[in-house]
Amino acid sequence: MEKSELLEKRIEELEKRILFLEDQIHIKPSTSPPHRPGIQQQEQAKEPVEWDVLIFQKILPPLFIIVFIMGVIWGFKAVSDYGFLQPIVKVIIGYIVGFALIVLGWQINKGRKNLGHMLLGGSIPILMLTTFAMHQLYDISGPTIAFILNLMWITLGVFLTFKYRSQGIGIVAIVGGVFVPFLIKSTSPNIPLFSLYETVLFTVFLWIALKYSYKVLYFISIVFLQVAILVFFIFTNVPDGYKWIAMLPIFVQHGALLAILLKTNRMLKEQAYTLFSIMLITAIWIRVIFTDNEATILMTIITLIYGVCYYVNREDSIRAPIFIANASVTLLNIMQLQTDNLLFEGIIGFIFIYFFIYKKFKHILHLILLSISYIVAFYKVLSFSITGWVSWEMLHWTVFLIGTGYVIYLLTRLFKDKTILNIGVSFVAIMLLYYLHMIAVLVSGDSGSNMERVVTSSLWIIIAILFMVFNRISLPQGKYVGVSILFVTLAKIILFDISFVSVAIKALLFLVLGVVGLLVSRAYYKK
């Protein structure tokens, strides 16, 4: 009886606990935040397109200011063709139109900001084109006056960009400003003045772009400076004594972008990728303009600068990878300039550097650089034919095969993907067969093609066996690769060798291959 009473009490206690838990389960949902479908619907719903704003404020002003500028240009041409107006009158009308746009832009209502910006921006190219016509077409002014006037228009563009916080005005001003020196007619270009002007112009607009986070102005100021320097070198015969001065804008641009990346935190990713792109372009400029020794000195200085930058920012996930990438560009150029035979080993070495940097920072740029470097190495190694046991070609091929195997191992461990290992092992096997064929040529020497065929087949059989041995140790794909090599060897013997070798050699090859095949079959035979 006592036991039954105890059981009844325990059952009652359990029932109470169950009821308590059920109450808790029902209470918990009520304590959660109330469901407000209206807010979710508002978040999910897309904002409707304001067609009036899109068409009349964003599309029409820039489109028709361009149309208007083209009309002014064609108007100049028309009155010139028909001789309606004297040159001085055309120039006066051009300046009146330019200043009229400025007045209209300043008096525009605040609610029409885009239209006002386009009117102000359109005034800059009209003033510059008028100055160009006055100087180049009508010879009313000399180069000094034309240059000073264009500087005034560019300064006006900078002022309007600041005053109205308008990226559009800045873009128009920088594009026009970059090409001002080309609008000045001169029989002997002033190279120092050109370099100084382009340098100051770029620096000013780069600062504006970063101050207000104007991405488009940032990229345009960088790209158009490069274009201007390229055009200058194409159409100007720059003496050797002036090449350092002519390259000043390129060096200042590179240095400014590096300094800004180190000092600011705005647009960091854009700055980082831009600096890498400029590094590549700067390397090309240096290689084209300067002698090998001068280029080596410059590349060494740049490498040291980026080495220091990396050391100071070695834990920075954005800056550090870019500094390593830029330093690798200069180091590879130094190797090509001074030790061309070791350039291939340098490329293989940087493949591993890119891998470990990617592993640390997960920066996609280094994975891309790794891939590009390997493609270049693969392309170069195919052009090397081993002609001696102690030769650069032998070193290149050996380093390539060892490096490829280790890279595949590292990538497999990093991404934990067996597909990389499967494809990689097969690729290594194919390259190894070609490598062994070249080794067979060296071994056979002057013995003739028959010996070469026998040695090649023998080496392939040996490597097939080694793959299967590795399968027993740590390479699951080894047996399949080994069997594939055996089949390739058999196909080679049947299709290419059997017609050229003697009966004794045929017997030997088939006996060896048959025995190996049977042993393999026995080793992997499963009941």
Side-chain angles (χ1 to χ4, degrees):
M1 293 293 294
E2 292 178 357
K3 291 182 177 180
S4 62
E5 289 177 357
L6 288 172
L7 286 171
E8 288 178 357
K9 288 181 179 179
R10 289 181 179 178
I11 291 170
E12 288 177 358
E13 289 177 0
L14 288 172
E15 288 177 349
K16 289 179 181 179
R17 290 181 180 180
I18 291 171
L19 290 172
F20 176 78
L21 291 172
E22 288 179 349
D23 291 337
Q24 291 296 316
I25 291 171
H26 287 294
I27 289 170
K28 283 182 179 179
S30 63
T31 59
S32 61
H35 181 64
R36 291 181 287 181
I39 295 176
Q40 292 182 354
Q41 290 175 0
Q42 290 177 2
E43 291 175 352
Q44 294 175 358
K46 294 181 179 179
E47 294 183 1
V49 177
E50 297 183 14
W51 292 104
D52 287 350
V53 174
L54 179 64
I55 295 173
F56 296 104
Q57 295 186 26
K58 296 183 178 180
I59 296 178
L60 291 186
L63 175 62
F64 283 100
I65 197 65
I66 294 173
V67 173
F68 180 78
I69 292 171
M70 293 300 298
V72 170
I73 295 172
W74 285 107
F76 267 108
K77 188 176 186 308
V79 295
S80 297
D81 291 342
Y82 292 104
F84 290 150
L85 299 174
Q86 295 296 320
I88 187 65
V89 178
K90 301 174 194 175
V91 171
I92 292 172
I93 292 174
Y95 283 130
I96 290 174
V97 171
F99 285 111
L101 290 179
I102 294 175
V103 172
L104 291 173
W106 278 344
Q107 292 182 353
I108 205 74
N109 294 329
K110 292 184 179 180
R112 300 172 183 171
K113 185 183 295 184
N114 290 335
L115 178 59
H117 288 174
M118 289 302 103
L119 291 172
L120 291 171
S123 66
I124 305 301
I126 288 178
L127 292 172
M128 293 178 65
L129 288 170
T130 303
T131 304
F132 169 75
M134 178 179 68
H135 169 58
Q136 291 273 31
L137 301 181
Y138 308 135
D139 290 323
I140 295 176
S141 67
T144 303
I145 294 176
F147 186 73
I148 292 172
L149 286 174
N150 277 319
L151 282 180
M152 291 172 56
W153 312 143
I154 298 305
T155 304
L156 178 62
V158 174
F159 169 74
L160 294 176
T161 302
F162 266 111
K163 181 177 178 60
Y164 293 100
R165 302 290 191 272
S166 173
Q167 181 173 212
I169 298 175
I171 291 171
V172 171
I174 184 65
V175 172
V178 162
F179 294 107
V180 160
F182 303 100
L183 302 179
I184 307 301
K185 183 169 58 177
S186 176
T187 55
S188 56
N190 191 326
I191 296 176
L193 181 61
F194 168 82
S195 296
L196 180 62
Y197 168 79
E198 295 288 354
T199 300
V200 172
L201 184 71
F202 163 77
T203 306
V204 169
F205 279 97
L206 180 68
W207 178 73
I208 294 173
L210 288 171
K211 180 178 178 62
Y212 299 112
S213 298
Y214 292 156
K215 291 185 179 181
V216 178
L217 180 61
Y218 172 80
F219 290 116
I220 286 179
S221 63
I222 293 170
V223 171
F224 272 82
L225 175 64
Q226 293 285 338
V227 173
I229 302 301
L230 178 62
V231 172
F232 183 77
F233 270 96
I234 290 174
F235 293 101
T236 304
N237 184 19
V238 180
D240 287 341
Y242 282 93
K243 64 183 179 183
W244 291 93
I245 298 175
M247 284 292 291
L248 177 65
I250 299 297
F251 295 139
V252 170
Q253 183 186 65
H254 196 151
L257 292 175
L258 174 59
I260 291 170
L261 179 62
L262 289 170
K263 295 296 183 181
T264 68
N265 291 319
R266 294 189 180 186
M267 300 164 53
L268 274 183
K269 288 186 177 180
E270 290 83 356
Q271 286 193 61
Y273 287 117
T274 302
L275 183 61
F276 176 70
S277 302
I278 290 300
M279 179 68 255
L280 295 176
I281 298 173
T282 303
I284 295 172
W285 275 113
I286 292 174
R287 295 293 299 272
V288 171
I289 301 300
F290 299 101
T291 65
D292 288 353
N293 289 333
E294 291 171 341
T296 301
I297 293 172
L298 286 171
M299 295 287 187
T300 303
I301 293 171
I302 296 173
T303 302
L304 292 174
I305 291 172
Y306 277 113
V308 172
C309 291
Y310 171 75
Y311 179 78
V312 174
N313 300 273
R314 57 189 177 275
E315 299 302 326
D316 192 311
S317 61
I318 295 178
R319 294 179 175 89
I322 294 299
F323 296 152
I324 287 291
N326 286 7
S328 70
V329 172
T330 53
L331 281 172
L332 288 173
N333 275 278
I334 292 171
M335 294 183 72
Q336 187 177 24
L337 288 166
Q338 299 300 324
T339 57
D340 189 49
N341 286 326
L342 287 174
L343 175 63
F344 183 83
E345 281 65 36
I347 295 173
I348 298 296
F350 274 110
I351 288 174
F352 291 103
I353 293 175
Y354 294 145
F355 172 82
F356 289 113
I357 294 296
Y358 174 77
K359 184 179 179 181
K360 180 178 181 180
F361 295 106
K362 297 296 185 291
H363 205 287
I364 190 63
L365 173 63
H366 288 270
L367 197 60
I368 295 172
L369 291 175
L370 185 155
S371 303
I372 293 173
S373 298
Y374 188 83
I375 291 171
V376 171
F378 174 70
Y379 175 77
K380 286 182 71 69
V381 81
L382 290 179
S383 65
F384 300 139
S385 181
I386 300 175
T387 56
W389 290 103
V390 181
S391 62
W392 288 110
E393 292 79 11
M394 176 66 80
L395 176 64
H396 297 334
W397 267 98
T398 305
V399 170
F400 176 78
L401 290 172
I402 295 173
T404 299
Y406 191 47
V407 165
I408 292 169
Y409 168 74
L410 292 175
L411 290 174
T412 303
R413 290 195 60 184
L414 178 64
F415 294 106
K416 302 186 185 306
D417 188 353
K418 290 185 177 180
T419 304
I420 297 174
L421 186 61
N422 294 336
I423 297 173
V425 171
S426 302
F427 174 73
V428 169
I430 294 170
M431 299 302 293
L432 195 55
L433 293 181
Y434 183 62
Y435 173 76
L436 291 175
H437 168 68
M438 290 187 288
I439 297 296
V441 174
L442 290 179
V443 171
S444 59
D446 298 329
S447 301
S449 60
N450 287 344
M451 180 59 68
E452 175 190 321
R453 296 171 192 276
V454 172
V455 175
T456 299
S457 298
S458 301
L459 291 176
W460 286 9
I461 292 171
I462 292 171
I463 203 67
I465 295 172
L466 288 176
F467 268 107
M468 294 178 191
V469 171
F470 282 121
N471 170 73
R472 295 288 188 180
I473 301 173
S474 60
L475 192 65
Q477 299 80 3
K479 61 182 178 181
Y480 301 109
V481 174
V483 170
S484 300
I485 293 175
L486 289 179
F487 278 114
V488 171
T489 306
L490 179 61
K492 170 184 171 295
I493 294 171
I494 294 173
L495 297 175
F496 300 101
D497 298 345
I498 199 168
S499 302
F500 300 96
V501 297
S502 64
V503 175
I505 298 298
K506 293 177 188 177
L508 178 62
L509 288 175
F510 274 85
L511 282 172
V512 172
L513 195 57
V515 169
V516 171
L518 290 172
L519 290 175
V520 169
S521 176
R522 176 64 185 85
Y524 292 102
Y525 182 81
K526 293 182 179 180
K527 294 182 179 180

